[in-house]
Amino acid sequence: YCLMCVFFFQAEDGIRDLVRSRGLGDVYKRQPQSGSILWQFPSHYIQSAPTMGNDSTIYFAETGGVHSISTNGSIRWKYSINAQIIMSPLIAKDGTIYFASYSSNTFLVALNSDSSLKWQVNLGKYINEFMLNIDLDGQLFVVAEKSLYCISPIGQVLWNIDDQRINGGGNGISFSPDGKTLFIPGNSVSVLAVDINSKTIKWTFGDRTLSSPPSIDCQGNLFFVPLSNSDTDSVSYLYSVSSNGELNWKYKFVYPLYT
């Protein structure tokens, strides 16, 4: 297997962007003007990108733990756990750090900003490492296999929806601009729109699998490209769908023919 190296690049007013590349499992901070390494943080096998908190604290996960490091490269703390962590930590506005750990069981874990354990919950299902998001009220939404769970900031499962059309292997979930609707990639449908207040699926769209979450503009329109069968399909489509699930338009991509 390959290990991963994560680089931090400094903009004029501080650290802004990061680029992931294959390397030796270290975390670097670079200054693009000179290309010199400002600091290097030794680590083990990193499988996801770092995350920054509101105070620019850097959080990253590796096999066996989560690190918190300052922008000068000094370690603030490490939370050790006997499990694999393959997702980027998710940081709430109150500083809580969320991540999923994978061992014989899959746990959703919440840490306080000082590294103390806030809570952990076992949903009894495999949690997709990309399918985790926070709404405006701080509630967590997570996809585990074919189920969507809503979890309170104190770790209580508030409600869940089980639906075989949910793509448990998708790459994310997204919210409407008002935060009242959650959009989930599907397998036998492209998108499932979940009304958070009524806790129901209010509409679906399409009949092709969608891997990545739809992009949403400020008017609530969705944009996405479902998967195509490369063996049988010669075209693919970019869809624009309204906030109520009606087709706005679609744009056709034609694949080149190979002989």
Side-chain angles (χ1 to χ4, degrees), residues 153-183:
I154 61 172
Q156 179 185 4
V157 177
L158 300 177
W159 52 268
N160 69 283
I161 294 175
D162 300 320
D163 196 304
Q164 291 300 307
R165 297 172 296 178
I166 292 175
N167 183 3
N171 293 321
I173 50 181
S174 50
F175 286 99
S176 60
D178 62 7
K180 296 179 180 179
T181 305
L182 183 69
F183 301 106

Side-chain angles (χ1 to χ4, degrees), residues 73-223:
S74 60
I75 186 167
R76 298 177 66 246
W77 50 257
K78 177 184 178 181
Y79 179 81
S80 298
I81 186 170
N82 186 24
Q84 189 178 28
I85 305 171
I86 56 178
M87 66 173 291
S88 299
L90 185 65
I91 315 299
K93 61 184 178 182
D94 66 355
T96 302
I97 302 105
Y98 298 104
F99 62 92
S101 66
Y102 304 89
S103 55
S104 57
N105 294 301
T106 303
F107 288 93
L108 182 62
V109 182
L111 303 180
N112 294 303
S113 57
D114 63 357
S115 81
S116 60
L117 178 66
K118 191 171 186 177
W119 51 260
Q120 65 179 12
V121 61
N122 182 4
L123 299 177
K125 297 180 179 180
Y126 182 88
I127 298 173
N128 183 306
E129 62 270 23
F130 302 109
M131 307 279 270
L132 179 67
N133 214 330
I134 306 176
D135 73 1
L136 297 174
D137 297 322
Q139 297 179 130
L140 285 168
F141 290 84
V142 57
V143 170
E145 298 177 11
K146 300 293 184 181
S147 301
L148 170 70
Y149 291 87
C150 175
I151 301 173
S152 74
I154 61 172
Q156 179 185 4
V157 177
L158 300 177
W159 52 268
N160 69 283
I161 294 175
D162 300 320
D163 196 304
Q164 291 300 307
R165 297 172 296 178
I166 292 175
N167 183 3
N171 293 321
I173 50 181
S174 50
F175 286 99
S176 60
D178 62 7
K180 296 179 180 179
T181 305
L182 183 69
F183 301 106
I184 308 174
N187 46 29
S188 58
V189 297
S190 298
V191 179
L192 299 94
V194 177
D195 187 302
I196 292 175
N197 292 328
S198 66
K199 309 174 184 61
T200 59
I201 297 173
K202 60 181 183 178
W203 56 259
T204 65
F205 183 91
D207 59 3
R208 292 294 183 93
T209 297
L210 184 68
S211 291
S212 298
S215 297
I216 319 293
D217 68 13
C218 57
Q219 282 78 42
N221 297 300
L222 289 71
F223 302 89

Side-chain angles (χ1 to χ4, degrees), residues 42-60:
S43 61
H44 299 295
Y45 186 27
I46 304 173
Q47 300 185 70
S48 58
T51 307
M52 276 194 173
N54 290 331
D55 60 354
S56 294
T57 298
I58 302 161
Y59 301 92
F60 74 93

Side-chain angles (χ1 to χ4, degrees), residues 25-40:
D26 293 333
V27 175
Y28 296 90
K29 179 170 175 245
R30 286 179 176 267
Q31 186 177 10
Q33 293 87 347
S34 64
S36 60
I37 296 174
L38 299 183
W39 52 260
Q40 172 180 328

